[in-house]
Amino acid sequence: MNEQRNLFLAMALSMLVLIAWQTLVVGPQQKQRQQQQQTAIEQSHPKAAAPSLPSASLGTSEAGTLSVDTARSQSRRIAIKSATIDGSIALDEGARFDDLRLLGEKYTETVDPKSPHVVLLNPAGTAHPYYAYFAWKTPGEADGAPAAWQAEDSKPLTPEHPVTLRREDGKGLVFIRKIALDDRYMFTITDRVENTGTVAAIRAPVGRVRCWPTAIAALPQELARDARCNGDPKAATSGISHEGPIGVFGGVVQAPTYKSVAKEGSADFPNAPPGAWLGITDKYWMAALIPDKDLALGARFLGPSKDGAGAFRTDFEGASQTIAPGGAVELTHHFFAGPKEVDVIDGYADDLHIAAFDHAVDWGWFYYLTRPIFRLLDFYYKLVHNFGIAILLLTITIKAALFPLANRSFAAMSKMKKLQPEMQRIRDRYKDDKAKQQQLLMELYKKEKVNPLAGCLPIFIQIPVFFSLYKVLFITIEMRHAPFIGWIRDLSAPEPTTLFNLFGLIPWEPPAFLHIFGVLPILMGLTMLLQTKMNPAPPDPVQQKVFLFMPLIFTYLMGNFPTGLVVYWTWNNTLSIIQQYVIMKRMGVDMEWETKFPTLFAAGRKIRQRFAKVDASNGSSKQPGE
């Protein structure tokens, strides 16, 4: 059976299985788990004592036309400086984290190292406000105006130097906040409230992440395309990775899209037990609040209204804290703002015991396959320091794991190809008697011990591997701007060259839809064409022509895929061709191109015959018993 036909059949079957599994098994199980979790939450945290949900007020748009420098000058600030990030904290705006830029060669907007660094957080008044903060409020009341904090000194916040802030509310409460920064992207916020008055006070801790994305006045259905909160203007949106609010409540991941939140208005998660976290994530970046590990809370995701009021928000309000006269309450929160580097995210999940924090990276349905593939790819990268070569090594590893199955598949296809003349004679002789034709073909298969479907299994197994590798290349920040060789400077992006400007020789930049038929996609198409010629041809001449066009179609499609995936597919095809060629020659099956170009392959045939004669003479010269 034709390998390409098997591929399409396997892809269709695998998609049907995945959809059915997700709809009939995973969906109901997840819903049941969420219901059970919610019941457990309500039993352990009665509603009478539960924290309140954050206010659903949309507020007014804080987007404006100010430059970042002008917006920064509207508030006193404490600078943030480290090897990985820089920025500042707005003291007069409730100690907001609203000015953050990522440093390092990997975090520029384009592959050009001289391009600007990615800006993650922006202050209010700019065209793209995006910020986060922690605060205290009186339960049942709306958020007040941002409080002004005083810093103990003017030194910047660095990994070696935490900063301490202080403010008083004039009613006997003293708020002391210590902010520390590690050497990566995690802030630790220790909030202490001291009651110097004579009356007990009740305050609730709150946290907010707010983002006014571009095209904020668009209708909800348009927000899915245009509304994004990350700071990377070159990163393309896609349904492959989750972008939007994200949170974990009671161990259950909640990840509605920008579109769904904008359409529904809000998503509420009352009575969340301790251990929750929430934020806004995009393909590569995330801003996330991790409340005190012992704090029960209510959380809410909010989207902007149709007229553009408000922002995308992920808010929490913790259980009320009673501060007795002369007493104090202290909570420790964390705030993550940065790229979703897998090792860093996993390290925080382990060190800070953050539940399901590794799900900040959207590993998808094949979680237990995608993560190991990334780990193996990362292992090879750390050996060779080149993700392109690491992909080649990963492909060899996958081929080695599937070698026995592939051998059976290629052997079955070689037998089928060897039987093609006899099969064609049966079809020609009984072309008007399909039943007799099928009967004789089945007898031929049985006699020659050939299974026409034997080629499907290895292909079927490779489908999840293909999807998982695609996911790895698409979502992991480690692939972003990862070079390979020569002109390939970003394995996560499509092939940069195109046939339409002679692969860069003509000084003309074709439009986006013509950025196809690059060097690697063309090589991949040629390997597919070669495989098509090596496999048994379909009996129908129309089908033969259709399958000859398939490499061209795939060449066009793969022109828009990440280059790393094209590298994998081309190299995988090359290894398959070598393996299939060896098996076919062992079985005495002639290649189509050898019969069409006999002179070209005559020398190789003579060499093989000479070696065969030498082996035969060596075998005959041995005496019995030797």
Side-chain angles (χ1 to χ4, degrees), residues 276-297:
W277 63 270
L278 65 162
I280 293 177
T281 183
D282 287 290
K283 179 179 175 180
Y284 292 135
W285 330 109
M286 183 172 69
L289 309 170
I290 302 101
D292 187 282
K293 61 183 179 61
D294 297 320
L295 186 67
L297 54 87

Side-chain angles (χ1 to χ4, degrees), residues 461-527:
I461 292 175
Q462 286 186 67
I463 297 300
V465 175
F466 179 84
F467 287 154
S468 297
L469 183 61
Y470 178 41
K471 190 83 170 178
V472 167
L473 294 172
F474 190 86
I475 66 168
T476 54
I477 188 106
E478 287 78 2
M479 295 298 114
R480 182 179 183 268
H481 297 177
F484 181 24
I485 55 173
W487 72 98
I488 302 174
R489 301 172 63 191
D490 187 355
L491 286 167
S492 69
E495 164 75 64
T497 67
T498 173
L499 177 65
F500 294 98
N501 64 3
L502 296 182
F503 311 110
L505 295 178
I506 299 176
W508 172 64
E509 183 68 18
F513 71 90
L514 289 180
H515 267 279
I516 51 175
F517 300 120
V519 174
L520 281 176
I522 289 176
L523 289 176
M524 189 219 65
L526 291 174
T527 60

